[in-house]
Amino acid sequence: MLIKRRCLLIVFIVIILAMVFIVSGCKENEAETVQIPSEGLYTRCIKVKEKIPHDVIEASLEYYDEDTLFKNSDLIFKGIVVDENTIGIEEYINGELERTYYRDSFTFEIEKIYYSEDPSLEVGDVIKVSNASCSYWWVEGTLKMEKGSEYIVITIKRSDLPDVEFSKCYDYYVENYWVPIIPIEDDKYYVDEELTSLTGNAEEEIIRKDGSFKTTVYVKGEEFEEELEDLILEKKS
């Protein structure tokens, strides 16, 4: 009899906890709905699941040579990805969802700053860098940065559309989907062929493929960072 009472008590507690969880979840959802105004323009950023398989698109891409990338850059840094997410930037008009922009968002801890338009930015700071090519809108050739990996990245300051505040969701973005991203592994730097001034004296050449996309990647040694700093001085002087 005592065992039955204990079992009933446990079941009762479980039911109560479940009800509390459900009510709490409803309140959270209600709060998310309430914050969307019924009039005017409104944007918000949400995390979404990566789409598998990716939606591959055929895109006519603007050509970005190294001169353009360095000229437009606001921050060139080395860092480690501490978190990665696919995000949806929702645009609402008068309370109704108009469209969703999808991005990959990478949270970096900065290890070294080669160039920055923001004098307040320091080593150790954490920033978010976006790539518009993601699983919902995949451009062949895109380099997907991975959590725990190290990169040098040439980035541009966030840019809002007249009706969409992307700045709510990330700090910087890459202007091209692979060229400004330089992976670092075992003290080797993997440089895309479009960064022509930085491909000389490579230790190795690798052909990188992604579907119908193909490019040559040049593997550089420890001298690479000094070459990069010299090039930045030349391009940004």
Side-chain angles (χ1 to χ4, degrees):
M1 190 68 176
L2 182 58
I3 294 175
K4 287 183 179 180
R5 287 180 178 175
R6 286 180 177 174
C7 289
L8 288 172
L9 179 60
I10 292 172
V11 171
F12 178 74
I13 292 172
V14 169
I15 292 172
I16 293 298
L17 289 174
M19 291 178 66
V20 169
F21 177 78
I22 291 170
V23 171
S24 175
C26 291
K27 286 183 177 179
E28 287 182 4
N29 291 334
E30 182 182 351
E32 289 183 0
T33 303
V34 168
Q35 71 178 353
I36 300 172
S38 59
E39 296 182 357
L41 300 171
Y42 176 79
T43 59
R44 71 173 182 178
C45 181
I46 60 171
K47 292 182 182 180
V48 297
K49 290 184 178 180
E50 183 178 1
K51 202 166 190 178
I52 300 176
H54 294 358
D55 281 348
V56 179
I57 67 163
E58 293 185 7
S60 178
L61 300 178
E62 184 177 349
Y63 177 68
Y64 291 98
D65 60 10
E66 69 172 34
D67 286 336
T68 303
L69 292 172
F70 281 98
K71 177 183 177 182
N72 295 347
S73 63
D74 294 300
L75 173 65
I76 304 172
F77 73 97
K78 177 169 68 174
I80 293 179
V81 178
V82 296
D83 195 17
E84 56 173 300
N85 293 287
T86 301
I87 60 174
I89 303 169
E90 296 181 333
E91 177 187 3
Y92 289 85
I93 299 178
N94 297 329
E96 297 294 328
L97 180 61
E98 182 72 10
R99 61 180 60 86
T100 303
Y101 303 85
Y102 295 99
R103 302 282 188 273
D104 272 341
S105 176
F106 306 92
T107 303
F108 275 93
E109 181 177 340
I110 296 176
E111 296 178 302
K112 185 173 182 178
I113 297 173
Y114 304 97
Y115 176 84
S116 177
E117 292 281 351
D118 181 359
S120 69
L121 205 58
E122 298 179 347
V123 170
D125 286 350
V126 173
I127 60 170
K128 289 184 178 181
V129 176
S130 168
N131 195 335
S133 177
C134 66
S135 60
Y136 289 76
W137 197 83
W138 184 262
V139 177
E140 289 185 339
T142 299
L143 271 176
K144 181 175 174 60
M145 295 175 277
E146 298 179 354
K147 184 177 179 179
S149 295
E150 187 178 31
Y151 302 87
I152 291 174
V153 194
I154 303 169
T155 67
I156 295 179
K157 190 66 176 171
R158 59 181 182 242
S159 177
D160 295 337
L161 293 176
D163 299 337
V164 184
E165 295 179 87
F166 292 115
S167 55
K168 286 185 174 181
C169 304
Y170 54 82
D171 305 297
Y172 296 86
Y173 69 97
V174 288
E175 192 171 19
N176 175 277
Y177 306 132
W178 60 89
V179 178
I181 302 167
I182 303 169
I184 305 172
E185 187 175 347
D186 297 328
D187 297 323
K188 303 296 182 184
Y189 303 80
Y190 293 79
V191 186
D192 187 84
E193 62 184 358
E194 296 298 339
L195 296 176
T196 53
S197 299
L198 297 170
T199 58
N201 301 316
E203 299 178 1
E204 185 181 359
E205 295 180 20
I206 298 172
I207 301 298
R208 185 173 72 87
K209 296 182 179 179
D210 178 21
S212 61
F213 172 87
K214 183 173 71 172
T215 190
T216 301
V217 175
Y218 293 82
V219 183
K220 301 293 295 287
E222 60 183 10
E223 77 287 348
F224 173 76
E225 290 196 46
E226 184 176 343
E227 293 177 0
L228 174 63
E229 290 174 326
D230 289 342
L231 184 62
I232 291 171
L233 283 175
E234 175 188 330
K235 300 291 187 184
K236 304 297 279 188
S237 60

